[in-house]
Each structure stands twice: as structure tokens, then as C-alpha cells.
Amino acid sequence: MQTENKLTVSVVLPCRNEEEALGECLKQIKQVFADNNINGEIIVSDSSTDRSPEIAREFGVILIKHDQIGYGRAYLEGFKIVKGEYIFMADPDGSYDFYEIPKFIKYLTNGNDFILGNRFGGQMEKGAMPWLHRHIGSPFFSLLFKILFKTKIADVHCGMRAIKKETLNKLYLKSEGMEFASEMIIKTIKNNLKIKQLNINYTRRKGEPKLRPFIDGMRHIILIIKLVK
């Protein structure tokens, strides 16, 4: 990928108490930028009470210390300052492989508007996804999306994503919690934009999980009901 005068890629990381994995994730991203001649920036959107902010500062990345809890809120705060033409998103918890960044960006440059990872299509480490999520929660939501929104997406809640900045600006995203992941896909579909799904590997996260299965699941369902109309 050729370096341009302007920033081409903004990597936005939603961070809440990820000190165990954040440093390694930042190291990977910087290596990817160097190896692939990518002119990019890294934004850590943070609400942590651990050493995550200090780690971000040590790596010299952009730190937004907003201290507002919520998966969607972290992304909304990060999006306010992105300068790249393409935006790459993933949790900095050790579960995603940031060496996949060039592949995601390549498919954006080839005419797609939104790229989504598929954890079920690649290698999933044992224990990386709880049994309930893997065999009931995720399949249920993917089936629901297939029925309601006529999409063939197999992993609607995968956290590894990439989107064109111009596409993002058309979506007017508002969700502050985990339902942000559903809102992004639904609004992309409703805007008749082109989605591509890529198989990715998925490993066990480091640190404590943030997902609240029942509460977050209900927030997804409420949002879907609102947007299906």
C-alpha cells in the first residue's frame, strides 16, 4: 500500500481496562504500518481505571481520555477526531489479529464500503467465545438479521471492522452500548452500501470480559425493533 501525503488509515481502539493486551496490540499495529508503508494513526478511546492510558502514552499514540462507559460511546468519541480515509476498528484485548489490517483496507479500496470479520469462518481458539454466545447468541442474531434485513452476514457482532470515512458520515450512528455493532450494520444495509465479510481467526481475550449477555442482548433487540421499521 503506497504512502500518501494525507493519512490513509485511522485505527480506533475502544479501551476500558485492557492493560494486559493493549501494549502488544499497539506494537502489532505499528509494525503493520511500517511493513506495509501505511500512513496511519492510532486512536485509543479510553475509559480505563487501570494502566491503559499510561501504556497508550508510552507508545506515543493518540489518547482520548473521555471516561464515558460504553462500547459505542468509545467509538463515537474516537470518530470525532479521525483523519484517515479508512477507519479500522477492533478491541485491543488480544482476541483479534491486527496483521489483518492490510487485507481489510485492500477490500475497501476495491469498491466495498464496509468490511466485517467473520470469526466463524476462520480458526477459533477453544474458549475464545463462551458456549452460549457461540452456539446460541451469535447464530440467533445472524438469523434475525437474515430474516429482517435480507443479509447473508454470518457474524453480525464481530468487533473487527473497517469502513470508509465517507461511508461512516452517512450513517449518523448514535448507540452508546454494545448495540452500536448492530446499528452500524443495519444502517449500512439501509443505505444500500456494499458490505464484504472476511474470515478471520479469533483467540482468547486477555483480562476480564465486558459483555453482559442478557442486558446487552436486550439492547440489541430493542435497537433492531426500532430500526426494522
Side-chain angles (χ1 to χ4, degrees), residues 63-157:
L63 173 68
I64 304 176
K65 193 76 174 81
H66 53 81
D67 289 330
Q68 300 182 66
I69 297 175
Y71 177 78
R73 174 49 57 189
Y75 275 122
L76 293 174
E77 292 298 318
F79 292 161
K80 290 178 181 178
I81 65 165
V82 292
K83 296 179 181 178
E85 182 180 359
Y86 307 109
I87 300 168
F88 182 88
M89 310 159 60
D91 302 301
D93 59 9
S95 59
Y96 292 110
D97 182 2
F98 287 94
Y99 291 108
E100 298 277 12
I101 291 175
K103 183 167 68 173
F104 275 66
I105 302 306
K106 180 187 77 173
Y107 280 99
L108 283 182
T109 62
N110 288 343
N112 297 285
D113 299 295
F114 179 45
I115 312 300
L116 181 65
N118 177 15
R119 295 167 293 180
F120 298 98
Q123 296 295 317
M124 186 181 296
E125 183 181 5
K126 184 178 180 180
M129 186 182 294
W131 189 94
L132 185 66
H133 300 167
R134 182 170 184 175
H135 298 284
I136 298 178
S138 289
F140 167 75
F141 279 104
S142 293
L143 177 61
L144 194 61
F145 270 64
K146 181 178 181 180
I147 295 171
L148 297 179
F149 302 105
K150 312 303 179 186
T151 179
K152 296 180 180 179
I153 295 173
D155 187 8
V156 295
H157 290 157

Side-chain angles (χ1 to χ4, degrees), residues 109-219:
T109 62
N110 288 343
N112 297 285
D113 299 295
F114 179 45
I115 312 300
L116 181 65
N118 177 15
R119 295 167 293 180
F120 298 98
Q123 296 295 317
M124 186 181 296
E125 183 181 5
K126 184 178 180 180
M129 186 182 294
W131 189 94
L132 185 66
H133 300 167
R134 182 170 184 175
H135 298 284
I136 298 178
S138 289
F140 167 75
F141 279 104
S142 293
L143 177 61
L144 194 61
F145 270 64
K146 181 178 181 180
I147 295 171
L148 297 179
F149 302 105
K150 312 303 179 186
T151 179
K152 296 180 180 179
I153 295 173
D155 187 8
V156 295
H157 290 157
C158 180
M160 180 175 276
R161 305 167 172 219
I163 190 169
K164 293 178 180 177
K165 187 176 181 181
E166 64 178 339
T167 300
L168 178 67
N169 291 337
K170 297 175 182 177
L171 304 184
Y172 302 102
L173 301 172
K174 299 177 181 179
S175 298
E176 298 186 356
M178 290 291 186
E179 71 276 12
F180 173 89
S182 291
E183 182 188 12
M184 176 175 273
I185 294 177
I186 294 169
K187 289 187 173 179
T188 301
I189 293 170
K190 287 198 163 189
N191 277 275
N192 296 313
L193 299 168
K194 192 172 180 180
I195 303 175
K196 172 76 175 177
Q197 191 162 218
L198 300 179
N199 295 337
I200 63 169
N201 296 331
Y202 190 61
T203 57
R204 294 175 65 96
R205 67 162 289 135
K206 297 179 181 178
E208 293 297 319
K210 311 298 188 301
L211 186 66
R212 303 165 299 174
F214 179 76
I215 294 175
D216 291 326
M218 289 304 301
R219 291 182 66 140

